[in-house]
Amino acid sequence: MNWASLQGLLSGVNKYSTALGRIWLSVVFLFRVLVYVVAAEEVWDDEQKDFVCNTRQPGCPNVCYDEFFPVSHVRLWALQLILVTCPSLLVVMHVAYRQERERKHRLKHGPGAPSLYDNPSKKRGGLWWTYLLSLIFKAAVDSGFLYIFHRLYQDYDMPRVVACSEAPCPHTVDCYISRPTEKKVFTYFMVATAVICILLNLSEVTYLVGKRCLETFHPRRRRPHHRDRLPDTCPPYALSQGEPPQDGNSVLMKAGSASMDAGGFP
């Protein structure tokens, strides 16, 4: 699998994510994808080759291996990482759809036409719901895979010896897992990072819903701009620069004196 191309596609998600979303993406690539590619596949590459049972009965080791490892850890993790990153691609596709719709609208109505969106990448309307549902889906996927791992491998444990009595084994035989402690450490690490990602997704859901509730029930009120205006009953009078504003009576008196100076009488 070409994880580099997946990383290149998801790198654009940072532009449309909140701060918690950027932290989630960093955790996914640094502590999940990178650890999976560099270390986890190497740890599990010998799981079947070095799975040894104390019998020479043909087919017994294969049957016992299938009983204890019904699905390989690395394949489950690969499927988990693919499913958990796909919703982020839906957000990018939704933004691209908005941008293309805006471009066609301007081509049809001219560059001076009003925009369909104030900002195509702003999480409003359908894009807000797409982003919110993607977070819920990612948290649900990680939770579901944690449950699957718990059911397949009790308490995410990796024992050194397992007992197997499946046919064609002649009797109950002991089978030995290669490097069980190292595999247990990596399993716990991947489980811990999945739990962190779930908490980040739920925190981001709480943040988005809380922010929307605040905007809905407590909209920002614009403060009125107070200007010093003369009373409506006063005649037009221009204040000279540096002169403090006066009340209506003084304005009337000055207007009357100005008329007397001009005509010699009131």
Side-chain angles (χ1 to χ4, degrees):
M1 178 179 295
N2 191 357
W3 293 105
S5 60
L6 180 61
Q7 182 178 3
L9 288 173
L10 292 179
S11 59
V13 180
N14 276 331
K15 297 185 296 184
Y16 318 121
S17 301
T18 63
L20 290 172
R22 295 186 183 97
I23 295 174
W24 175 87
L25 195 61
S26 300
V27 171
V28 168
F29 278 106
L30 292 179
F31 299 103
R32 297 181 72 176
V33 175
L34 193 60
V35 170
Y36 174 86
V37 173
V38 174
E41 287 186 322
E42 297 296 330
V43 172
W44 264 268
D45 63 348
D46 61 347
E47 57 181 343
Q48 186 172 7
K49 180 181 64 175
D50 294 339
F51 186 83
V52 180
C53 299
N54 56 357
T55 181
R56 294 186 177 181
Q57 177 67 32
C60 181
N62 292 335
V63 171
C64 294
Y65 175 83
D66 183 69
E67 181 185 10
F68 188 75
F69 292 102
V71 182
S72 174
H73 284 68
V74 290
R75 292 173 179 83
L76 274 178
W77 284 331
L79 181 61
Q80 180 182 4
L81 290 173
I82 291 173
L83 292 179
V84 85
T85 52
C86 282
S88 299
L89 296 178
L90 293 178
V91 175
V92 177
M93 292 171 62
H94 196 154
V95 174
Y97 164 75
R98 280 187 164 191
Q99 293 173 346
E100 181 64 18
R101 187 181 177 191
E102 183 71 26
R103 186 186 67 84
K104 291 182 178 179
H105 174 74
R106 292 196 176 277
L107 287 177
K108 182 178 180 180
H109 300 283
S115 302
L116 296 176
Y117 310 99
D118 294 336
N119 185 357
S121 61
K122 192 173 184 180
K123 290 181 284 295
R124 288 291 184 273
L127 183 60
W128 186 86
W129 284 105
T130 300
Y131 193 86
L132 182 69
L133 293 176
S134 70
L135 295 175
I136 297 174
F137 182 80
K138 289 187 287 189
V141 168
D142 276 333
S143 301
F145 273 89
L146 288 180
Y147 177 75
I148 292 174
F149 272 104
H150 175 73
R151 294 288 297 178
L152 293 179
Y153 309 103
Q154 191 67 29
D155 297 330
Y156 313 107
D157 192 19
M158 190 66 59
R160 292 180 172 85
V161 182
V162 293
C164 177
S165 57
E166 296 292 324
C169 298
H171 51 80
T172 300
V173 298
D174 294 330
C175 298
Y176 304 91
I177 301 174
S178 65
R179 297 185 288 179
T181 303
E182 186 177 10
K183 292 178 179 178
K184 183 187 295 186
V185 169
F186 274 95
T187 301
Y188 287 162
F189 180 84
M190 297 297 282
V191 169
T193 53
V195 171
I196 292 174
C197 288
I198 293 173
L199 295 178
L200 288 173
N201 288 328
L202 295 180
S203 300
E204 195 171 4
V205 169
T206 304
Y207 169 75
L208 289 177
V209 174
K211 184 179 179 181
R212 177 55 60 89
C213 291
L214 289 177
E215 292 176 353
T216 302
F217 297 107
H218 299 283
R220 296 179 179 177
R221 297 180 180 179
R222 295 181 177 179
R223 297 182 179 179
H225 298 284
H226 299 284
R227 296 179 179 177
D228 294 327
R229 297 181 299 176
L230 295 176
D232 295 335
T233 57
C234 295
Y237 182 74
L239 295 175
S240 60
Q241 294 183 358
E243 185 178 354
Q246 302 172 355
D247 57 7
N249 295 329
S250 61
V251 170
L252 290 174
M253 291 175 64
K254 284 194 174 185
S257 61
S259 62
M260 290 178 64
D261 295 338
F265 55 89

